[in-house]
Amino acid sequence: CPSARVWRDKVKENTLRLLTEYDMDGVYLDQIGAHAPQPCMDNTHSHAPGGGGWWQKAYREMLAEINAEKPADKILTTECNAEPFTDSLDGFLSWSWISVGKYVPAFMRLYGGRIVVLGRNANGYMKDDLNYWRYHLAQGLVGGEQMGWINSDFVDQPERLEFAKTLVRFRYEHRAFFRGARAMRTPIVECDESHMFTSGVGMMWQAVLHEPLLCVGALENGKKKLLMAVNLSDEEMTDSVRFVNKEFGLTGDNFTNLGEGTAVLTDENHLKITVPGGSVLALSWEA
């Protein structure tokens, strides 16, 4: 029970020791964001018996105590993206976003640039599905997340390692933009079945991914915009991408091509995009 003083004091003690005595850059506080609140019947605790909002309140109080004493340049993260703790932590491990068949970056629209979102557990039960693995790495990039939570054995898998290096290098090169970016409305790839892949979602969830091999997303940081397309396949892909230009402000000559490939504005709300296999193409502009 997070209201129990013995628990809160021990978490605080361990966390502050790691940040000061051991000079760690940050501490991952497992399950604060992930664990479902549980009823507690202990009459000696500071809440009414049963369930209720006291669970989140107790954790927020504990985090406030830790934040008041931790060094300013140290960070705290937890598992999963739980909104009640967005203002109390510096990062969320968003591993459970692998569970959905149709991802909408609403969270990254609201909280992108305000809290770091990192990592997807795409190496688990779908370990042998290359497109699924690449898709989640790419979706993390185009959605403004930090990529991660990758098992070390991928260094012996060139088809994964080289793909990851391409995406990580791109994000690092443009890290100043990503640091404060939030998601825009996701552009839609218009393609036929030969340019799509199908897979399950793994772990304990039941859903079907049926997505284009071009993974596309858009971010904004102030006036700066970035539209990215990642080719999950090993073959060059050319497809049409539809977007809402009144939100984007793209013209035929106001963007710069970054990465590999080409993009041409074919009408007000469509781009024709070509991306080499395993590569990233991005359009950068201000509006």
Side-chain angles (χ1 to χ4, degrees):
C1 174
S3 76
R5 177 49 65 179
V6 64
W7 165 251
R8 287 165 55 168
D9 287 349
K10 180 52 68 174
V11 173
K12 178 181 175 181
E13 176 192 348
N14 289 346
T15 301
L16 293 176
R17 283 190 68 194
L18 286 166
L19 295 175
T20 56
E21 182 178 341
Y22 292 93
D23 196 27
M24 298 295 176
D25 294 319
V27 173
Y28 173 73
L29 297 164
D30 196 26
Q31 300 226 349
I32 288 179
H35 199 287
Q38 302 294 313
C40 175
M41 305 302 177
D42 192 326
N43 288 320
T44 68
H45 289 182
S46 60
H47 60 80
W54 58 263
W55 181 282
Q56 290 84 1
K57 181 175 181 290
Y59 266 133
R60 286 176 57 82
E61 290 171 349
M62 183 190 78
L63 291 169
E65 292 176 9
I66 297 172
N67 280 315
E69 296 186 34
K70 78 172 180 66
D73 61 342
K74 308 294 187 176
I75 66 168
L76 302 175
T77 69
T78 193
E79 181 177 12
C80 293
N81 54 304
E83 283 185 294
F85 309 115
T86 305
D87 62 341
S88 303
L89 295 162
D90 304 289
F92 285 143
L93 177 66
S94 61
W95 69 273
S96 60
W97 287 358
I98 63 168
S99 64
V100 294
K102 200 68 179 177
Y103 170 76
V104 176
F107 189 89
M108 297 305 296
R109 176 62 179 173
L110 290 171
Y111 298 112
R114 292 170 171 82
I115 187 167
V116 174
V117 176
L118 60 147
R120 296 189 182 193
N121 185 18
N123 254 36
Y125 294 86
M126 301 289 291
K127 194 173 184 65
D128 296 327
D129 193 319
L130 180 61
N131 284 334
Y132 174 86
W133 187 89
R134 287 181 171 181
Y135 169 78
H136 282 290
L137 206 66
Q139 200 180 73
L141 174 69
V142 304
E145 304 162 42
Q146 284 190 11
M147 296 165 285
W149 202 343
I150 300 171
N151 294 353
S152 60
D153 61 356
F154 95 123
V155 301
D156 297 318
Q157 301 168 327
E159 71 279 6
R160 299 191 183 209
L161 179 61
E162 295 306 315
F163 184 81
K165 285 163 67 175
T166 297
L167 272 58
V168 169
R169 284 169 175 162
F170 179 87
R171 195 186 194 284
Y172 184 76
E173 182 179 351
H174 304 286
R175 59 192 180 279
F177 172 85
F178 279 94
R179 198 169 292 130
R182 64 176 187 156
M184 301 179 70
R185 189 191 303 266
T186 303
I188 304 299
V189 179
E190 298 178 331
C191 64
D192 59 34
E193 287 293 320
S194 66
H195 284 198
M196 300 186 74
F197 77 96
T198 302
S199 77
V201 297
M203 298 194 75
M204 74 289 287
W205 291 288
Q206 300 297 318
V208 175
L209 278 178
H210 187 60
E211 295 291 331
L213 287 163
L214 279 186
C215 184
V216 178
L219 304 172
E220 63 180 358
N221 188 340
K223 292 184 178 181
K224 294 182 178 180
K225 321 285 185 186
L226 198 66
L227 187 153
M228 291 163 284
V230 181
N231 187 348
L232 309 182
S233 77
D234 294 322
E235 306 296 328
E236 182 177 274
M237 289 280 168
T238 298
D239 285 308
S240 178
V241 174
R242 172 168 50 87
F243 57 96
V244 181
N245 208 1
K246 65 181 181 181
E247 299 174 3
F248 281 49
L250 264 177
T251 66
D253 58 0
N254 74 336
F255 62 87
T256 301
N257 273 23
L258 307 173
E260 301 292 331
T262 61
V264 177
L265 195 66
T266 55
D267 63 42
E268 183 181 3
N269 296 305
H270 285 85
L271 285 162
K272 183 180 180 181
I273 287 181
T274 299
V275 187
S279 298
V280 181
L281 171 69
L283 311 184
S284 175
W285 74 100
E286 292 191 10

